Amino acid sequence: MRRRNELTLLPKLPLLITESADEFDALRDAFEREIKPRGIIEQMYVHDVSAIVWEILRLRRCKVVIINSAFRSALEDLLVQLLKGPGQYDNEVEDEAEALAHAWFTDQEAKKQVSETLSRFDLSSEINRGPLRADANCEG
């Protein structure tokens, strides 16, 4: 159930158009049950804490998307160079490189194919090491 902003002192919900008011309300309700605010000041604090936690969660999701996007783009650029045969142009292998880079995150066969391609250039161990490996923990 969507909560109205009964108190005009409380700001509007800090939601992007892609975010759920119900999910934010559930988070705020959980804080209210835990903190049990008495009076407007404590209600404002609960709202502020809820908004801050919501923003932290949003930024963590965004960070993962940014890193995965950069990784995918870097992998795609690398694959374009590695998949090209002698005398071939980038545009002749770009579709294959893009498909492999996108599938690398979810498809074991694509991971295998990428790994084999990289291993021909002694790069296979690099893709699963360091901060941009597929299973990297972005929680800091």
Side-chain angles (χ1 to χ4, degrees):
M1 136 172 89
R2 186 162 178 177
R3 172 191 298 212
R4 290 178 318 157
N5 218 4
E6 297 95 8
L7 301 171
T8 58
L9 295 175
L10 296 179
K12 288 185 174 182
L13 298 179
L15 302 176
L16 301 177
I17 59 172
T18 58
E19 295 175 328
S20 166
D22 290 337
E23 289 179 16
F24 179 80
D25 285 343
L27 176 68
R28 185 175 54 200
D29 290 344
F31 278 113
E32 284 181 355
R33 283 190 305 274
E34 181 73 23
I35 297 169
K36 297 176 181 57
R38 296 171 297 163
I40 185 63
I41 300 297
E42 290 181 2
Q43 288 175 346
M44 290 173 68
Y45 289 159
V46 167
H47 185 82
D48 286 348
V49 168
S50 301
I52 291 167
V53 169
W54 187 262
E55 187 171 347
I56 289 168
L57 295 172
R58 176 190 300 141
L59 293 173
R60 286 179 179 170
R61 287 189 304 268
C62 289
K63 181 170 59 170
V64 169
V65 169
I66 290 167
I67 290 171
N68 284 342
S69 294
F71 180 82
R72 184 179 301 120
S73 177
L75 180 59
E76 185 177 331
D77 290 346
L78 179 62
L79 287 171
V80 165
Q81 299 307 312
L82 299 180
L83 292 172
K84 269 191 324 190
Q88 275 189 308
Y89 295 102
D90 288 1
N91 64 349
E92 296 177 68
V93 296
E94 283 174 346
D95 289 343
E96 180 183 3
E98 180 182 10
L100 279 173
H102 284 272
W104 186 85
F105 287 89
T106 57
D107 182 341
Q108 289 301 326
E109 187 56 38
K111 279 187 180 189
K112 181 180 175 192
Q113 189 174 350
V114 168
S115 181
E116 289 170 358
T117 300
L118 294 173
S119 68
R120 290 193 313 239
F121 298 89
D122 294 324
L123 298 172
S124 62
S125 62
E126 297 303 316
I127 198 165
N128 288 314
R129 236 183 18 220
L132 293 183
R133 66 184 190 271
D135 63 345
N137 181 355
C138 295
E139 300 301 321

